[in-house]
């Protein structure tokens, strides 16, 4: 047997002391992890309000309001909470849509531990559960003018339904042809700094004197469309992503020579002379780091564009017999409307309960969590779902849903 589920909402839904001298109505669960109790719930019974988190630190006898990273789940009719692996709480939300019913609150994962160190506060982080495996995001870095944008455009043009671009935020001014929301979200520094402080960014860096960053939402938007996410970010950003739980492929594009890089930058004609000089000065350090830091899985030299593009496709498994332009459709999970939840090893049994008898019947499902990947901020992937009919199926009769 594995860990027992945490309390189900119904256990606590009448009233729950929130430790602040208030008694709040609403749905709450409490889950103990080490010497902390995580209380998750919402303070009113409105549909689709979001779930809040409070922590009771038993060793200090104090309540703490943590920094909450990631998009929060909406609250619908009720939910169940199950502690997994001592570091994250799985939340199964009743009455939600099939693509929005499984969430994870990370309370002590490596990512959360690292964020606690950075912020010096208590941190928890949400991520949404996604069925099956999605292809890893692709991080592309390289000095200004090396051809990153050109290569990414070629990929997106040839495989429009397969790849989606993570639209970064930046404080730099738009170039002539650049559109807000398509090439970048052009933003003011003060707004971006506040959003960074509020935990909305997966990574950010100061590059050539401007602030650039990948919002969690930008990556989630691509993942939710069922496409493979491409990030065009600098080496510092790649390093941050490497340290995060976003399991990605890291590719560095290098120029054949500094002279060729300078010529490309000048021919592009998008920067002032001063900006070109700054970008060339930064390029040397970027190339040095790109080649030696161990961040990148692959280094591609963009000498001949067509050759480099073919090599990029090869790395991404898109040569020859490659897949096709068919869009992988993201699949949701149809939870039985009335259900109970239990955990056995790496399986979560969601039993359909009939209102009349309260007994388990058809349409029960099993969530296999043995291959979870990724995690906050963003998505927890690798959830596998099986349908079982508890009347007629025995263990070897479990059907895997397609
Ligand atoms: N860390 C980080 N770097 C970014 C992001 N978006 C763009 N960059 C990098 O910022 C640098 C400058 O980008 P840009 O101003 O568009 O100029 P370009 O490289 O000449 O096309 C490039 O190295 C980009 O890869 C981001 O979201 N995060
Ligand atoms: N292999 C190549 N040979 C010659 N010019 C190239 C090559 N790859 C890209 N370019 C050109 O170099 C310039 C810079 O490319 P771009 O994709 O904007 O770079 P980045 O996004 O890395 O800053 C563009 O004018 C592009 O057409």
């Amino acid at each position: 047997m594995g860990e027992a589920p945490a309390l189900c909402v119904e256990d606590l839904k009448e009233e729950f002391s929130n430790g602040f001298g208030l008694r709040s109505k609403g749905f709450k669960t409490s889950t103990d992890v080490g010497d902390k109790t995580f209380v998750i719930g919402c303070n009113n019974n409105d549909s689709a309000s979001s779930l809040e988190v409070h922590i009771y630190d038993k060793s200090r006898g104090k309540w703490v309001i943590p920094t909450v990273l990631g998009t929060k789940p909406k609250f619908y009719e009720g939910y169940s909470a199950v502690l997994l692996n001592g570091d994250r709480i799985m939340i199964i939300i009743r009455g939600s849509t099939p693509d929005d019913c499984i969430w994870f609150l990370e309370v002590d994962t490596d990512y959360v531990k690292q964020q606690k160190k950075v912020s010096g506060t208590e941190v928890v982080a949400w991520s949404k559960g996604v069925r099956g495996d999605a292809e890893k995001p692709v991080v592309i870095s390289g000095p200004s003018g090396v051809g990153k944008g050109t290569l990414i455009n070629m990929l997106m043009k040839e495989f429009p339904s397969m790849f989606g671009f993570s639209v970064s935020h930046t404080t730099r001014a738009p170039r002539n042809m650049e559109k807000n929301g398509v090439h970048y979200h052009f933003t003011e520094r003060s707004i971006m700094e506040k959003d960074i402080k509020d935990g909305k960014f997966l990574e950010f860096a100061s590059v050539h004197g401007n602030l650039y960053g990948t919002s969690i939402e930008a990556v989630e938007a691509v993942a939710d469309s069922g496409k493979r996410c491409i990030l065009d970010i600098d080496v510092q950003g790649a390093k941050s992503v490497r340290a995060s739980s976003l399991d990605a492929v890291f590719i560095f594009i290098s120029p054949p020579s500094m002279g060729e890089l300078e010529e490309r930058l000048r021919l592009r004609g998008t920067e002032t002379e001063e900006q070109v000089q700054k970008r060339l000065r930064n390029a040397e350090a970027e190339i040095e780091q790109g080649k030696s830091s161990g961040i990148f899985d692959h280094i591609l030299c963009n000498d001949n564009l067509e050759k480099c593009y073919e090599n990029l496709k090869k790395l991404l498994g898109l040569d020859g017999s490659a897949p096709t332009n068919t869009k992988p459709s993201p699949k949701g999970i149809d939870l039985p409307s009335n259900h109970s939840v239990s955990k056995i090893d790496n399986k979560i049994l969601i039993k359909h309960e009939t209102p009349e008898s309260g007994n388990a019947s058809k349409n029960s499902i099993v969530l296999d969590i043995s291959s979870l990947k990724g995690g906050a901020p963003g998505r927890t992937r690798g959830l596998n779902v099986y349908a079982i009919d508890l009347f007629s199926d025995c263990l070897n009769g479990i059907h895997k849903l397609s």
Side-chain angles (χ1 to χ4, degrees), residues 143-150 232 260 264 268 302-305:
S144 183
V146 75
K148 303 179 295 296
T150 307
D232 173 348
E260 174 68 22
R264 285 182 199 172
R268 189 172 71 181
N302 182 16
D303 187 353
N304 175 292
L305 182 61

Side-chain angles (χ1 to χ4, degrees), residues 318-370:
L318 296 168
D319 55 326
S321 54
T324 60
N325 278 355
T326 48
K327 179 176 164 182
S329 54
K331 292 181 221 122
I333 299 168
D334 281 313
L335 291 183
S337 48
N338 281 312
H339 62 246
S340 62
V341 174
S342 49
K343 180 175 183 294
I344 305 166
D345 297 328
N346 278 324
K347 304 218 168 31
I348 307 289
L349 174 62
I350 302 181
K351 262 199 268 178
H352 181 216
E353 305 281 351
T354 56
E356 304 80 44
S357 62
N359 286 331
S361 76
K362 290 181 179 176
N363 307 325
S364 296
I365 59 173
V366 169
L367 302 183
D368 182 339
I369 52 169
S370 54

